[in-house]
Amino acid sequence: MIKENKNDKSTEQKILEAAKQVFMEKGIDGARMQDIADKAGINKALLHYYFRSKEKLFEMIFMEEARKFLPKVTSIMVSELTLFEKVEKFVGEYIDTLLQNPLLPIFILNEINRNPKEAIKKIFGNQRPPIDKVDELIAKLVKKGEIKPIKGYELMVNMVSLCIFPFLARPMVQWVTKTTDEEFLKLMELRKKTVVKFVLDSIKK
Amino acid sequence: MIKENKNDKSTEQKILEAAKQVFMEKGIDGARMQDIADKAGINKALLHYYFRSKEKLFEMIFMEEARKFLPKVTSIMVSELTLFEKVEKFVGEYIDTLLQNPLLPIFILNEINRNPKEAIKKIFGNQRPPIDKVDELIAKLVKKGEIKPIKGYELMVNMVSLCIFPFLARPMVQWVTKTTDEEFLKLMELRKKTVVKFVLDSIKK
DNA sequence: ACGCGGTTTAACCATTTGGTTAAACACAAA
DNA sequence: TTTGTGTTTAACCAAATGGTTAAACCGCGT
C-alpha cells in the first residue's frame, strides 16, 4: 500500500510546493536542488528519489502552472455573454488568478523565452485562441454602431497586457507609487474595475 | 599608449556586444563566460583580463541597458506638449526603442526580480517619475471637460504595459497571430498608432 | 517477528564553471 | 633593439552542483 502520510502533507506535495516556490523566485537556472530539498524539509537523496532530475521536476511544475497562465479565454470568448460582459469577466478572472499567483507571469514568460516551441505547446496544446470569433463579434458590434473597429488580436493583447504587466514590473510599480505589498494588492484589486473601464471606454462609441 | 585597434572594433567593444547578446538571451544565470568569449572571438583568459568577473561584466551591461528601459518619461511629461501629444510621443518613442532592443524588457524585468533594490536604483537613480505632474495635468483637462478622470500612475502603467508586453510575450503573440519575425515587427510598427488611439479613445470625453 | 517502502546519513562522483597562472608571442612605440 | 601592452595557449584550480550509492533506520501492515 502507499504510505499516505504521517504528517499532514504527502512528501511529494511538499516537494512540489517547495520546487514551485524556488523555481518561481530564481528561475530554472538560478534554482538549486539543495534549496528545494531544504524548503521541502527533506534531503537531496529523497528529492531525487521522487523526481529523477531537475529538468523533470521543472517540467512538472511548469505543466502545472502553464494551465493557469492561459485563462479560460476560449470558454469566455465563445460564451453567450455580450462583448462588454466578456471583457469584464476576462479581466476580473485573470487578475484574480494573478493575485493568487503573482510570480506566474515572469515564470512563464522566461520559459517561453528559453524554450518557445515546447513551452507554447504546453500552454496552448495545439489550439490557438479563437481570435476569429472575436473578430466576428467585433464586426457585428461595429456594424450596429456600438463600438469602434479594432482587430480582435489587438483587443486581446491589450487586455492581457493591462492585466499582466503590473505583476511583471511589480517592484518598479511599488517603488514608483510608494506602496507596500498590501497596498499593491489593493491597487490590483481596484484595477479589476479600472482596466475594464479603460478598455470599454476605448472601444465604445 | 592605448593600443586602439588593429581590427575595426576594439576588443572591449566586441566583448560588450557579445556579453549583451548572451546575457539578454540566457539571463545572468544561464549565461556562460565561455559563450561570451566565443561570441566575441577571443578566449576566456582575455575576457577576464578585460572584465574581472561575470558579475562586473553583467553590471556593465545592465547599466548600459537600464537607461534605455526608462524612456525620457520625465522630459516628455514635463514638456510643453498637450497630453494627447505627450501620449503620442511617449508611445512612439518607446516602441521605437523596443523595436531596436526587443529583448530589453525581459532582461530588465528579470534583474528587477532578482535584485529589486539595486536594479531600481540603477534605472531610476533616485528620481521617481513625475506622476504628480501627470495628475495635475489630468486634473486640468478633466476640469475643462476634455477627458475622463484617471489616476496619473494608472495612465502611465497602462501606456507602458501596452508598449512592452507584446515584446515580452513575443513568441506567444507570433504563434497566436501566425506571424513571421518580419511581420511581427510590422505589427509593432503599426502598434505605435493603435496604442495611441486605444489610450486616447479611452480617456477622451 | 518480519518485511517493505519511505527516509536519513554521508560519502562519493563527474562535470561544469568561474577564475587564475605562466609562458610565449605579436607588434607598435620609444 | 628594447619595452610594454594586447593576445593566445594551455594547463590548472577550487568550488558548486546535479546526481548516485549503500548502509542503516523507522514505522506500519501483515
Side-chain angles (χ1 to χ4, degrees), chain A residues 11 43 45-46 49-50:
Chain A
T11 301
N43 54 346
L46 191 57
Y49 174 81
Y50 274 87

Side-chain angles (χ1 to χ4, degrees), chain A residues 77-171:
Chain A
M77 284 303 147
V78 178
S79 69
E80 286 304 313
L81 301 171
T82 67
L83 179 63
F84 298 161
E85 289 168 336
K86 283 177 183 174
V87 169
E88 194 178 345
K89 193 169 182 191
F90 180 92
V91 170
E93 288 193 10
Y94 210 0
I95 290 185
D96 273 338
T97 300
L98 295 173
L99 279 168
Q100 278 155 42
N101 306 271
L103 294 181
L104 187 60
I106 192 85
F107 175 74
I108 300 289
L109 289 180
N110 268 323
E111 183 59 8
I112 284 182
N113 211 261
R114 206 181 62 113
N115 197 355
K117 274 252 164 71
E118 294 302 312
I120 285 173
K121 196 183 296 176
K122 285 168 198 158
I123 293 173
F124 291 94
N126 277 317
Q127 259 184 338
R128 284 184 173 75
I131 44 177
D132 293 346
K133 298 285 173 189
V134 179
D135 280 329
E136 289 172 23
L137 182 51
I138 290 173
K140 275 183 200 163
L141 294 179
V142 169
K143 197 167 267 179
K144 281 208 269 178
E146 293 185 20
I147 65 172
K148 302 166 193 150
I150 183 175
K151 281 179 193 157
Y153 98 87
E154 208 148 13
L155 177 59
M156 301 297 299
V157 167
N158 289 357
M159 278 196 294
V160 175
S161 301
L162 293 168
C163 291
I164 292 184
F165 187 81
F167 289 89
L168 284 167
R170 177 173 179 173

Side-chain angles (χ1 to χ4, degrees), chain B residues 116-179:
Chain B
K117 275 253 165 70
E118 295 303 313
I120 285 174
K121 194 182 297 174
K122 285 167 198 159
I123 294 173
F124 291 94
N126 277 318
Q127 259 184 339
R128 283 184 175 75
I131 47 178
D132 294 346
K133 297 286 173 189
V134 179
D135 280 329
E136 289 172 24
L137 182 52
I138 291 173
K140 275 184 201 163
L141 294 179
V142 169
K143 197 166 268 177
K144 282 207 270 177
E146 294 186 20
I147 66 171
K148 301 167 195 150
I150 183 174
K151 283 179 192 156
Y153 97 88
E154 208 147 16
L155 177 59
M156 300 297 299
V157 167
N158 290 358
M159 278 196 294
V160 175
S161 302
L162 294 168
C163 292
I164 292 183
F165 187 80
F167 289 89
L168 284 167
R170 176 172 179 173
M172 255 180 62
V173 171
Q174 285 193 229
W175 186 79
V176 170
T177 60
K178 300 182 197 171
T179 48

Side-chain angles (χ1 to χ4, degrees), chain A residues 155-201:
Chain A
L155 177 59
M156 301 297 299
V157 167
N158 289 357
M159 278 196 294
V160 175
S161 301
L162 293 168
C163 291
I164 292 184
F165 187 81
F167 289 89
L168 284 167
R170 177 173 179 173
M172 256 180 62
V173 172
Q174 285 193 229
W175 186 80
V176 170
T177 59
K178 301 181 197 172
T179 48
T180 63
D181 284 352
E182 198 185 11
E183 289 166 341
F184 173 80
L185 296 179
K186 262 181 211 152
L187 276 191
M188 292 304 109
E189 195 62 45
L190 286 177
R191 204 169 156 77
K192 280 194 267 182
K193 285 178 200 157
T194 60
V195 165
V196 171
K197 181 178 178 340
F198 192 82
V199 172
L200 293 188
D201 279 354

